[in-house]
Amino acid sequence: MPKKIQFFLFVLVTCFSVCLCGHTEVCAAKTGQKTSVKKQAQKKKKSYKAPAFADAVFHPEAAQGDGNVLLDLSGSSQGYVAIEAWSPARLKFQVIKGESTYTYDIPSDGTPSVFPLQSGDGLYTFRVMENVVDSEYAQLYAAEAEIALSDEFQPYLRPSTYVSYTKDSACVKQAAKLAKKAENDVEVVAGVYKYICGAVAYDYDKAANVQSGYLPDPDDTLATGMGICFDYASLAAAMLRSQGIPTRVIFGYVSPDGLYHAWNMFYTKKTGWVTVGFKADKKTWTRMDLTLAANGTDSSFIGDGSNYMDAYCY
C-alpha cells in the first residue's frame, strides 16, 4: 500500500478514535447526571420508619400476690398491668383510679391478661373479684400502686386483651407492608384505613348473636373478612399501634338512636388528612369510625363528632 494512503488511514482512524472516546465521555457524563438526579430524587423521598415493636407481657418473676392471684406491675410505666388468677368460680378484675372504674372478665385458669392504664398518672387500686352467687361478687385480692407513665401515649402503643396481637401476627405484617409505601404517619393511617375498608365487611349475624364478654381476634377478622364494630376497631388499633401510631379503641353511644358502638381515635402530629368527616388536626386525637366508613354510611351521619359520646377507652 502506498505510504500516502497508509498515512491517511492512520490519521482517519486516530480521529475516529478520538471522536468516539469524546462521545463516550459525554454519554457517560450525561448518564452520570441522570443517575445523580435520580439518586437525589430518591434521597428526597422519605419513607416512614416504624419504631421498635412495643410489647406488653406478663412477667411472673416480677409479680406480687398470693396463691390465687399474681399481679404484675413491672410494665406500669409503659402503660399496662398484667394479671394471672385461679379460681373455681368466675372472676372479674377492676382497675380503679379516682372516679374511674374499669371492670374486666378474666380467665380463672391462670391464663395471663393484659389491660391498659388509661387513666394516666396517679394512685390506682387493683381488685380481683370472685363470683359467689348469681351476679354477686366478693373481693378475692386487692392492691394499690402509684403509677407514673413514661408518656401519655404508652397505653395506646401496645397489645392488650382488647387489642390482641404479637410481632408475628398477620395483621402486623400487613401493616408493615402498608407502612413501607408511606412517607409519614398520616399516610400509614390512610393506608390502613383504605385497606380495612376494602378487606372487611360487617357481619350482621355475628352482631345479632354476640355474647357478653366477647373479645376480638384481629387476625381472625383479617382472615374471614368479616366483623362487628369491636372487630373493626381492634384490628385498626392493632395495625396502627404495631407501627408506632397511638390508637385508642373507644366504646360509647352515637346519637340520635343511642347506638352502643366502638370506634377508634388516633394521634398524629401531621395536618390536613380527612377521614370519615374528621380532619386530622395538629397534635390532637382524631376520630375514625371504620365500621361506618367500610360499609358506605354517609359521612354526614358522623358529622362533627358532637353526636358521639365516649364512655370507655381501651
Side-chain angles (χ1 to χ4, degrees):
M1 182 181 293
K3 291 183 179 179
K4 288 184 178 180
I5 295 176
Q6 288 179 347
F7 177 77
F8 175 77
L9 290 175
F10 171 78
V11 172
L12 182 64
V13 171
T14 302
C15 291
F16 178 76
S17 298
V18 171
C19 290
L20 183 62
C21 290
H23 178 71
T24 302
E25 289 173 358
V26 171
C27 289
K30 288 182 177 179
T31 303
Q33 288 175 355
K34 289 180 180 179
T35 304
S36 178
V37 170
K38 187 176 181 181
K39 285 183 177 180
Q40 288 177 359
Q42 289 176 341
K43 286 181 180 178
K44 287 180 180 179
K45 184 179 179 181
K46 295 180 180 179
S47 295
Y48 178 76
K49 186 176 181 181
F53 184 82
D55 211 345
V57 296
F58 178 79
H59 298 97
E61 72 282 0
Q64 63 186 60
D66 53 26
N68 299 312
V69 176
L70 286 176
L71 181 69
D72 175 21
L73 294 172
S74 62
S76 61
S77 65
Q78 298 174 325
Y80 72 92
V81 57
I83 190 165
E84 285 185 353
W86 294 262
S87 173
R90 291 182 61 187
L91 296 174
K92 291 185 181 293
F93 179 53
Q94 292 186 319
V95 179
I96 306 166
K97 179 179 177 287
E99 299 298 318
S100 174
T101 298
Y102 281 82
T103 301
Y104 306 97
D105 290 320
I106 59 172
S108 56
D109 61 358
T111 301
S113 297
V114 175
F115 301 102
L117 296 171
Q118 63 272 72
S119 299
D121 297 347
L123 181 64
Y124 281 73
T125 298
F126 304 99
R127 299 202 304 172
V128 176
M129 309 297 290
E130 184 178 46
N131 185 236
V132 290
V133 61
D134 298 328
S135 59
E136 294 183 16
Y137 284 76
Q139 181 174 293
L140 180 65
Y141 177 84
E144 287 188 345
E146 190 72 32
I147 302 299
L149 303 179
S150 296
D151 61 66
E152 63 177 297
F153 303 113
Q154 289 301 316
Y156 312 111
L157 286 169
R158 303 170 185 277
S160 69
T161 298
Y162 277 31
V163 184
S164 181
Y165 62 94
T166 69
K167 192 174 183 179
D168 297 319
S169 293
C171 65
V172 172
K173 292 178 180 179
Q174 181 59 48
K177 288 181 183 178
L178 296 171
K180 283 183 179 179
K181 301 175 183 178
E183 291 189 32
N184 51 54
D185 52 358
V186 172
E187 289 190 7
V188 176
V189 177
V192 169
Y193 172 85
K194 182 178 179 181
Y195 177 80
I196 294 178
C197 283
V200 183
Y202 194 76
D203 192 332
Y204 291 93
D205 289 336
K206 186 175 185 178
N209 297 288
V210 67
Q211 300 295 310
S212 175
Y214 169 75
L215 293 172
D217 180 344
D219 274 2
D220 183 64
T221 303
L222 202 62
T224 62
M226 300 288 287
I228 58 176
C229 61
F230 195 1
D231 295 311
Y232 277 98
S234 183
L235 174 59
M239 294 180 75
L240 293 175
R241 288 182 187 185
S242 71
Q243 300 308 302
I245 298 172
T247 308
R248 292 170 172 167
V249 173
I250 307 290
F251 275 87
Y253 300 89
V254 183
S255 299
D257 301 322
L259 171 70
Y260 191 61
H261 187 43
W263 59 90
N264 295 105
M265 295 188 82
F266 68 90
Y267 182 90
T268 178
K269 294 179 181 179
K270 304 296 180 181
T271 61
W273 185 58
V274 178
T275 171
V276 206
F278 287 83
K279 185 175 180 179
D281 296 319
K282 189 175 182 180
K283 296 185 179 180
T284 62
W285 287 91
T286 303
R287 195 180 311 276
M288 181 169 66
D289 193 334
L290 275 163
T291 307
L292 299 185
N295 293 280
T297 301
D298 188 346
S299 61
S300 63
F301 173 79
I302 299 160
D304 62 1
S306 59
N307 56 328
Y308 279 74
M309 185 175 72
D310 301 355
Y312 301 101
C313 176
Y314 302 97

